[in-house]
Amino acid sequence: MSVAEVLPGSLPRHIAIIMDGNGRWARGRGLPRIAGHRRGADAVRRTVAAAGEIGIPYLTLFGFSSENWKRPLNEVDDLMGLLRHYLRGEIAELHGNGVRLRVIGEKGRLAPDIVAMIDNAEKLTRDNGGINLTVALSYGGRAEIAAAARAIAAGVRSGDLPLDAVY
Ligand code: IPE
Ligand code: MG
């Protein structure tokens, strides 16, 4: 029986998931945090496949927030290593499954090789008709509002943006 058959009624068009609890999962088993992050990445793989299978049009995964940069350097390194591994290993399969991948967040804070992989993956999958997978990396509501406020302030200061265009 497929997932779609056991789910009653109509399905949501967009599901957003905030990943959390990887560290607690690992601690509860006496494992290092990275083991929890690895299992989290496995869960992502299964979630993307299941969402595609049941026909969810949009899936957004909050994977790494702007605030997560404040974690210990070795944990940030581990997470970035995992991200590299995931991008390197999964893009071809995602593309094969018709996934359209996009990344939102402060891309400029990511390492150049990661940015290049993201750019390539976005280009490669741009015309795919399957699930729209958005991954939020170095993303934060506060960072987004601050960036918008800065852009508005710059536009108003330069005279390009009339104040009443902001509403
Ligand atoms: C989610 O798990 C992964 C990231 C936010 C990168 P956490 O790392 O937040 O795990 P807990 O909350 O400490 O258990
Ligand atoms: Mg957490």
Side-chain angles (χ1 to χ4, degrees), residues 10-162:
S10 61
L11 296 166
R13 285 185 50 76
H14 189 173
I15 297 178
I17 297 174
I18 299 174
M19 296 188 249
D20 199 16
N22 292 353
R24 275 161 285 167
W25 183 92
R27 195 175 55 222
R29 285 158 184 80
L31 298 169
R33 290 179 67 81
I34 180 67
H37 294 315
R38 277 198 204 103
R39 281 298 282 264
D42 290 342
V44 164
R45 217 169 279 130
R46 293 198 306 277
T47 304
V48 173
E53 191 190 318
I54 64 176
I56 301 291
Y58 295 90
L59 177 66
T60 298
L61 298 172
F62 290 85
F64 187 86
S65 72
S66 314
E67 288 72 27
N68 286 155
W69 289 113
K70 293 185 205 121
R71 292 190 177 200
L73 191 58
N74 67 328
E75 186 174 355
V76 172
D77 280 349
D78 282 348
L79 286 166
M80 290 299 143
L82 207 54
L83 177 59
R84 272 192 190 90
H85 184 76
Y86 185 82
L87 287 168
R88 223 172 265 142
E90 302 290 322
I91 297 304
E93 192 178 335
L94 291 176
H95 182 48
N97 290 335
V99 175
R100 187 171 180 213
L101 179 81
R102 267 168 296 195
V103 171
I104 54 170
E106 308 157 301
K107 243 195 282 183
R109 289 182 75 177
L110 300 166
D113 67 309
I114 293 180
V115 176
M117 279 193 274
I118 291 170
D119 287 346
N120 288 337
E122 286 182 334
K123 262 185 222 127
L124 177 71
T125 64
R126 184 160 50 197
D127 298 320
N128 287 345
I131 188 167
N132 289 277
L133 174 63
T134 302
V135 182
L137 296 174
S138 189
Y139 183 87
R142 190 188 174 103
E144 176 135 305
I145 291 166
R150 270 197 302 276
I152 290 169
V156 171
R157 185 172 58 188
S158 69
D160 292 337
L161 184 69

